[in-house]
């Protein structure tokens, strides 16, 4: 390595391979992306019997299309984070740090440096993305989905376009940002703008449509969404922009020792330097404070949610857990569809025996035979003493009306108030092992060892 | 062994040969500050023009500061005359960091100035500032290096495009030898991210010495070097002197100037109070001849002020500073004799061989006295 003086080698080494012992990092990244996709897919399958399947079938249905869609998200988030983490070595910020100044003074051609930097960054990111995609598809073959070849190319193209735009954006942003944190913030804002554009232009409707996504021509058909065409145009323009900007900037030295701790004010063609009262760096940072507060709220919220679920799970059918007269239930059958679906969070309001019931009301009552057995049924008819209730949906082999129940009015103690499908899906996830780890274990560790974790992160960063 | 080339072409690059170390050239004891060079570039003959790296005549800063009481605006520095020739190492310092930094930035073509003339070698100064010029190597940050490389690897990479006749293996061996000769062998195989910022600066300077820039400008006002680092710097500047490169180092460390530079410019409240050789500075401004240490320094001081007429005796805690303001130097032997004849036996006796910090203090005192008398 010591004899290598090629710029391509330098870029590879600097951006992707930190030491001689990690030369296989690129391969590892491909494998990591593929494996992460499968893990996310399997995690999502936990919530298969929930509203999520209905709302986002592209994430839940067992097919190669789902794997490709999840891979695109995983790769996009991974690369966006990687660009921010490896900002200094991956972007054109080297010009501001005068690293290129030294090279150009030592005989390196600045045009070559720019081109190698951009070419290496873009080609490696696309290469890793593409290889990872293929590996994800190969690994997914063990799940034995029906093969539809038409999905591959459009999915690959849409994901690659997103990743390409992200790397090009950070290359351009690095030219106009004085420091890493400014660049990071600008990059995040740029990505948010891209997401807003995607939503407005109907990009997500297009890429989640299995029928349209079998033909790559549909991806760039403005009739469905104008975003891919816009992104493709930007993908051509942004490198040119970055190249011209870098060319211009690399002709100049970036002054590091701007007179620090002072304010420069224009006065009669002269610049007057007054000592700054507060200095250049403020200790107080509003975004950092807001981020901390938000993080704290998320941590405390997820712990509180877990505690509620744990308390609720302690309750039994005879000793239900109620909050201000409302009884929550996670529905584990589909007999009340289409009013209440399986894994929904249904809430019942406590009622007394005088409450007037009418046909169609969904009620909560205990069985005549066993008071520990709780039923949720729809009222068929009701009089002062007796209530006749029945399920809305019967299992296939059971005849209609066979499971109808007639109970004393005083056994009915809850009236259906509403069902919360998303909350039901969240509870379903939290009740799984990975859900518990993510929403209880991690926040608790973060709360108790916050300072140690931050110190460790700083040490890692400094190293 | 190849001979060192003193020409400026990159083909004759002075890569990696061993450099003989010179002592700082001793000059005549005359103070040349009083006759500071005010010539412009046009006044020089052709031979002199070839050797000139920087020539400043009456340069005044564009930036101004305001006095808290009078609200009068004054330039950060004014009327600076400075001539830096090839092979010279200048140390610029000031009582105010901003003054020194601004001046350094003017010399490095990083900043405009209000009046006067600043000529940087044959190309002059450019209207467009901060543009990368072929004859100037400007260093004001330790971030120019790639933190994931080791020192030798960075050195090899940086010098990889310089035409030379050596194979990569020979080049590596010679660069390693160079690092060792400069006293940097201990970091040759260290990761750059593990180095101190000041060590990175030294490496940058060493790499800059391999470039074909004739003038190296270092704005190091924000850095503090350790004693061992200053000694490494002295070796590098000696090498640069041999390579006939002009070096301007701006620093707030007088010790660095004393050890690593042969000339100095000291600004006080924006005015140059000394501009000349460091050796002359000692003769001109450092009047401290001896420093004594004793638990009863006060009494000892009273006796010595009687025994040494025309001398100034300053007591600071247990330290006793003896300033020789007479025309007659007192040798160490004579001083010992004087002490023994009068039965004086201080606990520690130090002979002052010249300190830049003492000299600067003395210059400031003289400047203040002159101002008061005016």
């Amino acid at each position: 390595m010591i004899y290598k003086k090629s710029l391509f080698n330098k870029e590879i080494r600097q951006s992707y391979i930190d030491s001689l012992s990690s030369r296989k990092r690129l391969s590892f990244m491909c494998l990591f992306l593929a494996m992460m996709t499968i893990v996310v897919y399997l995690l999502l399958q936990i919530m298969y019997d929930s509203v999520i399947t209905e709302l986002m079938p592209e994430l839940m249905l067992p097919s190669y299309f789902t794997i490709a869609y999840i891979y695109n998200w995983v790769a996009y988030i991974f690369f966006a984070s990687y660009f921010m983490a490896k900002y200094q070595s991956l972007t054109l910020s080297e010009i501001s740090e005068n690293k290129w100044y030294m090279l150009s003074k030592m005989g390196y051609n600045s045009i070559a440096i720019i081109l190698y930097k951009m070419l290496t960054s873009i080609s490696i990111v696309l290469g890793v993305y593409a290889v990872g995609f293929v590996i994800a598809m190969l690994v997914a073959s063990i799940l034995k989905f029906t093969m539809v070849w038409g999905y591959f190319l459009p999915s690959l193209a849409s994901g690659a376009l997103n990743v390409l735009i992200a790397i090009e954006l950070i290359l351009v942003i690095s030219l106009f940002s004085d420091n890493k944190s400014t660049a990071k913030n600008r990059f995040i804002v740029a990505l948010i703008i891209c997401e807003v554009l995607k939503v407005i232009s109907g990009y997500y409707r297009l890429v989640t449509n299995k029928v349209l996504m079998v033909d790559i021509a549909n991806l760039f058909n403005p009739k469905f969404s104008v975003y891919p065409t816009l992104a493709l145009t930007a993908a051509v323009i942004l490198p040119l922009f970055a190249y011209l900007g870098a060319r211009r900037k690399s002709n100049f030295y970036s002054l590091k020792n701007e007179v620090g701790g002072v304010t420069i004010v224009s006065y009669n063609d002269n610049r007057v330097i007054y000592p700054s009262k507060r200095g250049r760096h403020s200790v107080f940072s509003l975004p950092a404070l807001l981020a901390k507060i938000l993080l704290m709220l998320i941590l405390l919220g997820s712990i509180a949610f877990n505690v509620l679920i744990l308390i609720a799970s302690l309750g039994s059918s005879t000793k239900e857990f109620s909050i201000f007269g409302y009884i929550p239930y996670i529905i584990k059958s589909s007999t009340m569809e289409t009013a209440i679906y399986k894994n929904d969070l249904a809430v019942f309001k406590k009622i007394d025996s005088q409450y007037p019931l009418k046909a169609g009301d969904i009620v909560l009552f205990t069985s005549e035979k066993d008071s520990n057995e709780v039923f949720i049924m729809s009222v068929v008819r009701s009089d002062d003493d007796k209530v006749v209730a029945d399920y809305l949906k019967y299992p296939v082999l059971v005849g209609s009306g066979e499971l109808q129940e007639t109970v004393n009015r005083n056994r009915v103690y809850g009236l259906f108030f509403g069902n919360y499908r998303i909350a039901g899906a969240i509870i379903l996830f939290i009740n799984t092992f990975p859900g518990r780890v993510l929403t209880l274990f991690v926040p608790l560790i973060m709360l108790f060892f916050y300072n140690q974790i931050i110190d460790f992160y700083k040490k890692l960063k400094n190293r | 062994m190849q001979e060192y080339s003193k020409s400026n072409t990159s083909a004759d690059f002075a890569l990696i040969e061993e450099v003989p170390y010179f002592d700082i050239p001793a000059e005549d004891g005359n103070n040349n500050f009083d006759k500071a060079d005010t010539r412009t570039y046009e006044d020089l003959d052709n031979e002199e023009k070839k050797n000139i790296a920087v020539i400043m005549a009456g340069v005044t800063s564009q930036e101004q500061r305001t006095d808290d009481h009078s609200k009068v605006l004054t330039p950060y520095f004014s009327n600076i005359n400075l001539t830096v020739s090839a092979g010279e190492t200048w140390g610029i310092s000031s009582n105010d960091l901003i003054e020194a930094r601004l001046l350094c930035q003017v010399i490095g073509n990083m900043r405009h100035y209000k009046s006067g003339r600043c000529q940087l070698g044959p190309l002059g100064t450019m209207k467009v500032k901060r543009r990368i010029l072929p004859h100037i190597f400007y260093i004001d940050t330790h971030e120019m290096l790639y933190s994931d490389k080791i020192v030798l690897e960075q050195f090899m990479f940086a010098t990889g495009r310089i035409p030379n006749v050596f194979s990569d293996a020979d080049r590596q061996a010679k660069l390693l030898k160079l690092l060792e000769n400069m006293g940097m062998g201990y970091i040759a195989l260290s990761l750059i991210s593990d180095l101190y910022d000041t060590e990175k600066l030294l490496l940058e300077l060493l790499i800059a010495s391999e470039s074909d820039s004739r003038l190296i400008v270092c704005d190091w006002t924000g850095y503090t070097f350790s004693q061992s680092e200053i000694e490494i710097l002295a070796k590098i500047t000696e090498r640069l002197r041999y390579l006939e490169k002009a070096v301007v180092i701006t620093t707030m460390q007088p010790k660095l100037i004393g050890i690593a530079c042969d000339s100095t410019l000291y600004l006080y409240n924006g005015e140059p109070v000394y501009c000349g050789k460091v050796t002359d500075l000692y003769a001109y401004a450092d009047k401290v001849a001896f420093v004594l240490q004793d638990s009863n320094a006060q009494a000892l001081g009273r006796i010595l002020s009687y025994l040494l007429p025309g001398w100034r005796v300053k007591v600071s805690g247990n330290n006793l500073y003896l300033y020789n303001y007479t025309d007659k130097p007192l040798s160490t032997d004579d001083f010992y004799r004087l002490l023994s004849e009068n039965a004086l036996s201080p606990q520690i006796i130090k002979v002052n061989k010249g300190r830049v910090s003492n000299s600067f203090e003395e210059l400031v005192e003289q400047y203040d006295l002159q101002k008061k008398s005016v």
Side-chain angles (χ1 to χ4, degrees):
Chain A
M1 198 69 198
I2 207 159
Y3 297 149
K4 306 275 187 206
K5 54 188 178 190
S6 115
L7 284 166
F8 186 72
N9 252 311
K10 173 227 150 206
E11 292 299 337
I12 296 259
R13 165 91 187 274
Q14 185 187 340
S15 309
Y16 304 98
I17 303 168
D18 276 341
S19 65
L20 295 173
S21 60
S22 59
R23 282 180 176 221
K24 290 173 184 167
R25 180 175 282 197
L26 288 178
S27 320
F28 172 76
M29 276 162 72
C30 302
L31 203 62
F32 171 79
L33 287 174
M35 290 305 162
M36 204 59 189
T37 304
I38 303 299
V39 167
V40 171
Y41 171 78
L42 294 174
L43 275 177
L44 287 170
Q45 288 304 301
I46 293 168
M47 294 184 288
Y48 187 79
D49 284 333
S50 74
V51 67
I52 304 294
T53 308
E54 205 177 297
L55 292 176
M56 289 183 273
E58 68 275 7
L59 288 174
M60 306 300 287
L61 297 178
S63 79
Y64 281 106
F65 180 77
T66 305
I67 297 292
Y69 188 77
I70 293 173
Y71 177 81
N72 282 345
W73 267 110
V74 168
Y76 187 57
I77 293 167
F78 171 80
F79 280 117
S81 316
Y82 191 76
F83 298 155
M84 287 192 276
K86 281 274 178 183
Y87 171 77
Q88 272 154 326
S89 53
L90 204 60
T91 64
L92 300 165
S93 69
E94 284 181 23
I95 310 175
S96 314
E97 289 162 6
N98 295 314
K99 287 186 168 69
W100 290 13
Y101 172 79
M102 172 166 276
L103 294 185
S104 65
K105 292 294 299 175
M106 300 305 290
Y108 282 86
N109 184 335
S110 62
I111 296 174
I113 302 174
I114 297 166
L115 289 177
Y116 271 112
K117 165 68 78 180
M118 290 172 55
L119 199 71
T120 319
S121 296
I122 292 172
S123 61
I124 287 185
V125 165
L126 289 181
V128 169
Y129 168 81
V131 175
F133 187 90
V134 173
I135 296 173
M137 292 300 149
L138 289 173
V139 175
S141 66
I142 58 173
L143 299 171
K144 294 186 178 176
F145 300 140
T146 312
M147 182 65 77
V148 182
W149 290 101
Y151 294 150
F152 290 151
L153 199 57
S155 298
L156 188 70
S158 65
L161 195 60
N162 286 331
V163 172
L164 183 65
I165 288 290
I167 179 80
E168 288 181 359
L169 275 174
I170 200 149
L171 281 173
V172 173
I173 287 167
S174 66
L175 282 175
F176 303 101
S177 305
D178 295 335
N179 57 55
K180 193 178 172 181
S181 64
T182 313
K184 269 184 185 176
N185 292 341
R186 287 175 181 171
F187 182 56
I188 291 168
V189 170
L191 291 184
I192 291 170
I193 291 170
C194 285
E195 288 307 307
V196 171
L197 278 175
K198 284 178 192 173
V199 172
I200 293 170
S201 66
Y203 173 79
Y204 285 116
R205 276 198 304 277
L206 169 66
V207 293
T208 54
N209 190 322
K210 276 184 163 185
V211 179
L212 293 177
M213 283 298 277
V214 289
D215 185 2
I216 194 165
N218 290 335
L219 191 64
F220 297 100
N221 186 347
K223 195 174 79 180
F224 301 117
S225 172
V226 76
Y227 181 81
T229 317
L230 276 177
L232 196 64
T233 316
V236 176
I237 293 170
L238 284 173
L240 287 173
F241 198 60
Y243 171 74
L244 293 173
R247 277 274 336 246
R248 193 180 175 283
K249 201 169 178 184
S250 63
N251 287 329
F252 295 92
Y253 186 87
S254 294
L255 208 54
K256 283 287 155 191
N257 283 340
E258 267 301 347
V259 181
V262 295
T263 317
I264 299 178
V265 191
S266 179
Y267 180 85
N268 286 351
D269 293 336
N270 292 319
R271 275 167 289 163
V272 188
I273 303 181
Y274 296 107
S276 171
K277 282 183 183 153
R278 213 174 59 176
R280 285 166 74 113
H281 302 291
S282 166
V283 177
F284 177 78
S285 156
L286 188 64
L289 185 70
L290 288 176
K292 267 187 186 174
I293 292 172
L294 190 68
L295 178 70
M296 211 48 90
L297 285 176
I298 290 171
L299 296 181
L300 290 172
S302 59
I303 290 169
F305 213 96
N306 268 283
V307 171
L308 276 177
I309 291 167
L310 283 172
I311 293 170
S313 66
L314 289 175
S316 64
S317 53
T318 49
K319 191 185 162 190
E320 281 140 344
F321 168 71
S322 71
I323 310 165
F324 304 117
Y326 290 91
I327 307 160
Y329 260 104
I330 297 290
I331 308 302
K332 290 293 175 191
S333 82
S334 51
T335 52
M336 289 309 288
E337 288 179 6
T338 57
I340 306 170
Y341 289 85
K342 191 178 178 185
N343 286 320
D344 280 6
L345 171 69
V347 177
F348 292 85
K349 189 179 165 185
K350 274 190 171 176
I351 54 171
D352 56 22
S353 57
Q354 302 304 312
Y355 190 91
L357 292 174
K358 57 184 185 297
D361 282 349
I362 296 169
V363 290
L364 192 65
F365 60 89
T366 52
S367 167
E368 291 281 0
K369 297 163 201 163
D370 181 4
S371 59
N372 287 336
E373 202 175 359
V374 177
F375 288 92
I376 296 169
M377 286 187 179
S378 175
V379 175
V380 179
R381 59 183 176 274
S382 163
D383 53 39
D384 293 343
D385 297 331
K386 296 282 181 187
V387 173
V388 180
D390 201 354
Y391 292 119
L392 292 178
K393 185 184 171 188
Y394 268 67
V396 181
L397 298 174
V398 182
S400 179
E402 278 183 36
L403 300 174
Q404 199 175 73
E405 289 274 341
T406 304
V407 290
N408 282 325
R409 175 62 186 82
N410 57 11
R411 287 200 171 268
V412 179
Y413 65 95
L415 179 71
F416 178 63
F417 178 76
N419 66 329
Y420 303 94
R421 307 198 67 193
I422 302 283
I426 293 170
I427 291 167
L428 183 68
F429 176 70
I430 288 175
N431 272 327
T432 62
F433 175 71
R436 280 269 187 272
V437 169
L438 270 176
T439 61
L440 187 66
F441 184 68
V442 173
L444 279 175
I445 294 280
M446 286 288 284
L447 274 182
F448 285 108
F449 301 101
Y450 180 78
N451 288 333
Q452 285 88 337
I453 291 167
I454 296 294
D455 287 348
F456 177 72
Y457 173 71
K458 278 181 186 167
K459 272 183 198 167
L460 211 64
K461 208 174 161 188
N462 290 337
R463 197 177 64 177
Chain B
M1 275 303 236
Q2 282 193 331
E3 284 294 314
Y4 263 108
S5 166
K6 295 185 181 179
S7 71
N8 300 317
T9 56
S10 56
D12 294 324
F13 202 75
L15 192 72
I16 35 222
E17 291 292 332
E18 283 180 51
V19 180
Y21 303 126
F22 300 114
D23 291 321
I24 293 172
E27 298 286 327
D28 295 334
N30 300 327
N31 160 39
N32 59 359
F33 174 55
D34 293 336
K35 44 185 180 183
D37 200 344
T38 55
R39 291 176 300 169
T40 61
Y41 192 70
E42 285 71 29
D43 298 334
L44 306 173
D45 59 38
N46 286 339
E47 198 54 41
E48 282 178 313
K49 278 180 181 173
K50 275 184 194 168
N51 280 327
I52 287 296
V54 181
I55 183 160
M56 298 176 95
V59 172
T60 300
S61 74
Q62 200 176 42
E63 287 75 19
Q64 297 188 335
R65 67 180 137 210
T66 180
D67 186 86
D68 283 345
H69 303 292
S70 61
K71 302 289 176 197
V72 175
L73 291 167
T74 50
Y76 261 94
F77 57 82
S78 59
N79 200 26
I80 303 291
N81 299 312
L82 176 69
T83 305
V84 180
S85 303
E88 286 184 341
T89 305
W90 279 77
I92 296 178
S93 192
S94 170
N95 64 319
D96 183 348
L97 182 143
I98 299 174
E99 286 171 14
R101 187 169 279 177
L102 289 175
L103 179 60
C104 187
Q105 289 173 355
V106 168
I107 295 171
N109 193 47
M110 299 288 155
R111 191 173 283 279
H112 292 279
Y113 50 92
K114 189 182 178 186
S115 61
R117 178 93 190 268
C118 178
Q119 178 98 16
L120 303 174
L123 294 183
T125 48
M126 313 300 281
K127 208 168 184 180
V128 180
K129 294 297 168 190
R130 297 195 297 106
R131 184 178 283 283
I132 297 173
L133 299 174
H135 58 302
I136 301 176
F137 204 118
Y138 192 83
I139 305 170
D140 73 343
T141 173
H142 60 272
E143 290 176 348
M144 286 183 182
L145 308 169
Y146 290 100
S147 54
D148 59 326
K149 290 185 185 295
I150 61 169
V151 169
L152 185 58
E153 189 185 3
Q154 169 77 51
F155 209 174
M156 285 286 285
F157 180 70
T159 54
R161 294 295 158 100
I162 295 170
N164 62 79
V165 294
F166 304 116
S167 68
D168 279 343
D170 287 345
R171 201 159 61 86
Q172 182 193 339
K174 284 173 184 297
L175 287 177
L176 186 60
K177 185 78 179 162
L178 177 61
L179 283 168
E180 283 171 357
N181 287 345
M182 294 296 119
M184 297 170 79
Y186 72 104
I187 54 166
L189 298 177
S190 301
L191 203 59
I192 285 176
S193 58
D194 292 342
L195 303 185
Y196 290 118
D197 293 349
T198 40
E199 287 172 330
K200 291 179 191 171
L201 290 174
L202 294 175
L203 180 60
E204 286 171 4
L205 183 62
L206 193 58
I207 292 172
S209 74
E210 298 297 326
S211 75
D212 54 4
S213 298
R214 291 189 62 201
L215 171 64
I216 300 171
V217 182
C218 306
D219 176 4
W220 289 349
T221 43
Y223 297 94
T224 306
F225 291 80
S226 68
Q227 177 68 31
S228 59
E229 286 164 351
I230 292 174
E231 282 162 14
I232 294 170
L233 176 63
K235 287 181 183 171
I236 299 173
T237 52
E238 278 171 24
R239 182 169 185 273
L240 287 163
R241 210 171 289 135
Y242 186 81
L243 296 171
E244 297 214 326
K245 289 183 191 294
V247 185
V248 176
I249 300 171
T250 313
T251 178
M252 302 304 281
Q253 266 185 291
K255 189 196 268 184
L256 185 150
I257 295 174
I259 296 174
C261 303
D262 49 36
S263 307
T264 183
L265 167 66
Y266 185 68
L267 302 179
Y268 182 67
N269 291 344
E271 287 182 38
V273 290
Y274 184 81
C275 179
K277 296 285 175 194
V278 173
T279 43
D280 297 345
L281 174 71
Y282 299 145
Y284 176 66
D286 190 0
K287 301 293 183 189
V288 177
F290 303 100
V291 181
L292 311 182
Q293 247 178 32
D294 196 84
S295 53
N296 198 3
Q298 288 281 0
L300 190 63
R302 275 196 294 273
I303 298 167
L304 283 172
S305 59
Y306 172 75
L307 292 173
L308 296 167
W311 285 52
R312 181 184 161 202
V313 178
K314 189 172 128 186
V315 180
S316 172
N318 287 342
N319 290 332
L320 192 70
Y321 297 90
L322 299 175
Y323 294 79
N324 185 358
Y325 284 112
T326 64
D327 296 334
K328 211 170 130 189
L330 181 66
S331 70
T332 313
D333 289 348
D334 290 342
F335 182 65
Y336 277 118
R337 199 172 298 117
L338 179 77
L339 291 176
S340 60
E341 280 170 3
N342 292 281
L344 298 172
S345 51
Q347 285 153 354
I348 294 172
I349 303 170
K350 289 178 190 170
V351 181
N352 183 30
K353 289 178 181 169
R355 285 168 70 100
V356 175
S357 55
N358 286 345
S359 308
F360 286 168
E361 279 173 26
E362 182 68 24
L363 286 170
V364 169
E365 277 184 27
Q366 283 178 20
Y367 175 89
D368 285 340
L369 281 172
Q370 276 177 9
K371 280 278 171 189
K372 276 178 191 168
S373 63
V374 170

